[in-house]
Amino acid sequence: MKIMSKFGLVPVVLQWVLNLSLVVLALILVIFLGKETLYIFSYINNGTHVSKLELLEGILVYFLYFEFIALIIKYFEAKYHFPLRYFIYIGITAIIRLIIIDHESPLDTILYSGAILVLVVTLYLANTKQLKRE
């Protein structure tokens, strides 16, 4: 019985380690989000040294940081649960960024678009009343 009480502490300790790690990750993401904000504003103020494609890539990276921070916030609000739909949003944004960056091969672009379609269908299914837990 005494052994069980010692091992009962393990999930609590691991949960604290996970929570602390996520807080540190959120702080790092906030720093990178700030750097990306400065990058975007430097383009607006001084639009000669960055192409429009690079600006669009920067905006999508900005949204990726924003989505990851929102995911961490939602994790704590949902009592230590990551909602599936946030991962799907991040996946869709990342694939759109990939299409914008790497659009040389038409076959790759079609495959990426198909992956977005699969993610959108998954998002629809995840938001149905039968699967929605929130």
Side-chain angles (χ1 to χ4, degrees), residues 31 48 63 133:
I31 291 169
T48 57
F63 277 112
R133 290 190 211 181

Side-chain angles (χ1 to χ4, degrees), residues 42-79:
S42 72
Y43 174 78
I44 292 171
N45 293 334
N46 180 5
T48 57
H49 70 292
V50 177
S51 72
K52 288 182 174 55
L53 186 63
E54 289 173 334
L55 174 65
L56 186 57
E57 179 186 355
I59 290 171
L60 286 171
V61 168
Y62 186 86
F63 277 112
L64 282 171
Y65 288 135
F66 186 79
E67 288 173 351
F68 276 115
I69 293 169
L71 178 67
I72 292 171
I73 292 169
K74 193 64 176 173
Y75 170 80
F76 288 111
E77 287 178 351
K79 296 184 174 53

Side-chain angles (χ1 to χ4, degrees), residues 21-126:
S21 299
L22 283 174
V23 168
V24 169
L25 178 63
L27 291 174
I28 292 169
L29 288 171
V30 166
I31 291 169
F32 282 125
L33 182 69
K35 288 176 79 172
E36 200 64 39
T37 303
L38 292 175
Y39 173 78
I40 290 170
F41 280 121
S42 72
Y43 174 78
I44 292 171
N45 293 334
N46 180 5
T48 57
H49 70 292
V50 177
S51 72
K52 288 182 174 55
L53 186 63
E54 289 173 334
L55 174 65
L56 186 57
E57 179 186 355
I59 290 171
L60 286 171
V61 168
Y62 186 86
F63 277 112
L64 282 171
Y65 288 135
F66 186 79
E67 288 173 351
F68 276 115
I69 293 169
L71 178 67
I72 292 171
I73 292 169
K74 193 64 176 173
Y75 170 80
F76 288 111
E77 287 178 351
K79 296 184 174 53
Y80 315 119
H81 170 73
F82 283 115
L84 175 65
R85 69 175 192 267
Y86 282 86
F87 285 110
I88 297 171
Y89 295 148
I90 291 169
I92 291 170
T93 305
I95 295 173
I96 290 171
R97 178 184 176 272
L98 187 60
I99 289 174
I100 290 172
I101 300 304
D102 182 28
H103 57 273
E104 298 297 320
S105 169
L107 181 61
D108 287 346
T109 304
I110 289 173
L111 290 174
Y112 296 148
S113 301
I116 290 174
L117 179 62
V118 169
L119 288 172
V120 168
V121 169
T122 304
L123 184 61
Y124 173 76
L125 291 174

